[in-house]
Every structure is written in C-alpha cells, then in structure tokens.
Amino acid sequence: MFDKTNKGQVSFEDFGALWKYVTDWQNCFRNFDRDNSGNIDRNELKTALTTFGYRLSDQLINTLLRKFDRHGNGTILFDDFIQCCIVLYTLTSAFRQYDTDQDGVITIHYEQFLNMVFGLKI
C-alpha cells in the first residue's frame, strides 16, 4: 500500500506516510474508545461508524463485531478496527459503482457480484 514503486521496498518517504497513516488511525481509535479499554465495544463501534456516515442496522453492527472480534469477547482491537473500517469502505465504494441513483439498492447478476467482490483489494 505504501510501496509507491512496487519494488517490495518502502522508502524513507513511504515510511513517513505509513507512520502518519498509523498515527491517524490511532488517534481515531482513541477518540472512539470512550472507556479507554484499548478496544472498541459494540456501542463504540456503532458510534464510530455512524460518525463516518454509515447508517447500519444493529444486526449488521453485530455481524461486523463478530467478524472482526479476534478473541470472541465482544470487542475489536486496534488493528481489527482498521481492517473493519477499510473493508466496509471498500465494499461500500464497490456497491456505489452500481448504485448510480444512490438509493441504496442495486440489481446485478451473480457473475457481476462475483467480479465485483473478487476484484476488490481488501
């Protein structure tokens, strides 16, 4: 992601960008970790995603929590929070390519769906 030359190496400038990226995510995580527990619980996740502009059902919030809760204790760790947010953003962006009228509904064929999902870099 930060290897701008695709040589399998990260330059000093690339490392600086990576450091800023991680630091920005840490600040974001800390902002939503209201109880300073070092992890994000269900309510904190819902608050974060709502703040990011997502209007998701409680059922989907629970699904995301189960998917990204590495230890099965009802919370998400820092790196899993980043992954959750990136996956959600990537899937939403792919969906929006087909949702041309922005009504939250698309009609696609099965192969279009598979091409969309398998073509994602997540």
Side-chain angles (χ1 to χ4, degrees), residues 12-101:
F12 182 76
E13 292 80 20
D14 295 339
F15 181 78
L18 172 61
W19 187 264
K20 181 180 180 339
Y21 182 78
V22 171
T23 301
D24 289 347
W25 273 112
Q26 277 182 319
N27 291 332
C28 177
F29 182 85
R30 287 182 184 136
N31 187 45
F32 294 111
D33 180 16
R34 303 273 183 199
D35 60 359
N36 295 316
S37 62
N39 51 51
I40 298 289
D41 65 24
R42 186 195 173 289
N43 291 330
E44 293 166 337
L45 178 63
K46 184 171 184 171
T47 299
L49 297 179
T50 300
T51 301
F52 298 154
Y54 295 101
R55 303 294 178 253
L56 305 174
S57 69
D58 287 341
Q59 181 181 357
L60 188 54
I61 296 291
N62 291 336
T63 299
L64 289 171
L65 189 61
R66 279 191 308 275
K67 173 75 176 169
F68 293 98
D69 176 9
R70 184 184 324 187
H71 299 293
N73 59 6
T75 60
I76 299 177
L77 301 172
F78 171 65
D79 52 337
D80 297 320
F81 175 72
I82 296 172
Q83 185 179 10
C84 175
C85 293
I86 290 173
V87 167
L88 185 58
Y89 174 81
T90 303
L91 290 171
T92 300
S93 295
F95 182 90
R96 285 186 175 154
Q97 290 179 1
Y98 290 95
D99 187 15
T100 55
D101 59 358

